[in-house]
Amino acid sequence: MDPYPKPLRDLIDALKRLPGIGEKTATRLALFILADKGNLPEELSAVLKTVREQIRLCPVCYNLTDRVRCAVCSNPYRDRSQICVVEEPSDVLALESANAYRGLYHVLHGLISPLGGVGPDDIRLAELMERIRQPGVSEVIVATNPSVEGEGTFHYIAKMIQDAGLNVVVSRIASGVPMGGELKYMDQVTLASALRYRRGVREM
Amino acid sequence: MDPYPKPLRDLIDALKRLPGIGEKTATRLALFILADKGNLPEELSAVLKTVREQIRLCPVCYNLTDRVRCAVCSNPYRDRSQICVVEEPSDVLALESANAYRGLYHVLHGLISPLGGVGPDDIRLAELMERIRQPGVSEVIVATNPSVEGEGTFHYIAKMIQDAGLNVVVSRIASGVPMGGELKYMDQVTLASALRYRRGVREM
């Protein structure tokens, strides 16, 4: 017999659908929520209800927004000549928190993956090409993850722009040993990349 | 500038109030919930809304229930002569999943903690004494955690029952090396307890 009252069991089952949360963590979270002295369950319930109603995709860059255009696209101080291409909205958030980029973004919502059955038409590549064809774009920085799919998508984008004969620089984010990382813990591909793309002292 | 649209930021902030969930995990969970193809946000919102409306404390043992009495207290096959005293509802769930106990429970909702400012009157001890005074109770098994507060509460309960002159056996759950555990990783207090409460071959 399940020792949990049904409403508690329902909450545990719903929490278990979240990534990385199993039976034990879900139970711990559910009991914490239930025992909260404040308004935690009501507040969580309310924000969960509104999040999908209010969040949509920016029609320009396909980043998440609750306005007509996203915060980056509608910011007049952003450099409109650069477009940084990423896989997911969370990549935009990560790059923005680094505070090192002042251009615009383009969120593909996926990567080309022949094994995963994702082709070029399944992600926002046509929309990217349409943006690049507009006057004023001078550089496309491909910031997909350094994975097989990320590299493949980068090469596809580079070839697509080259074939279209557009006068746009295509660049790729640097790949190497992360700051604070230790060489002895790095994989071979990362070390090979760090060596291959080494910088001369003059480039520092 | 916060790169998150407000409804998403609200969801992240609400998730961060859960134990063991920081900014990064909350962001990951929020983006997963938002990207869900099914009804995850709506379902989570609904169960969160109902859980506190429907879950209450059993008036007999103070375990969680959505009925008049909890599933254990209302089960006619449980042994009414034994009362197992625990700190929290999650302890009942843990013991029930072990499927090794057929008696009733009593949930204290806390432990006596002089340093934490929790006295005997702040937990359900008066209610426990009232139950023990009823005819038919022959054993009280104190299953609080083997911590300073858990041991202190056990001794308080034992003395309370002794002082009342009740003909009730008070016992304490065994403390020692857990099944599958390794001696070399055990702390000194656990090893001392495992040695002190060793069983003779005849008790096996």
Side-chain angles (χ1 to χ4, degrees), chain A residues 2-4 7-31 33 48, chain B residues 15 18 21 28-29 32-33 36 40-41 43-45 47-48:
Chain A
D2 189 2
Y4 302 81
L8 184 60
R9 166 52 60 192
D10 290 344
L11 177 57
I12 293 169
D13 287 345
L15 289 169
K16 270 164 68 180
R17 289 169 59 188
L18 297 174
I21 294 189
E23 175 81 18
K24 286 213 170 179
T25 308
T27 305
R28 194 166 52 87
L29 294 179
L31 289 168
I33 289 167
L48 280 162
Chain B
L15 289 170
L18 298 174
I21 294 190
R28 194 166 53 86
L29 294 179
F32 178 90
I33 289 166
D36 181 68
L40 179 57
E43 196 177 305
L44 254 179
S45 174
V47 293
L48 280 162

Side-chain angles (χ1 to χ4, degrees), chain A residues 38-55:
Chain A
N39 64 341
L40 180 57
E42 293 76 15
E43 196 177 305
L44 253 179
S45 175
V47 292
L48 280 162
K49 199 167 178 313
T50 57
V51 73
R52 276 231 285 222
E53 290 166 11
Q54 295 185 8
I55 299 272

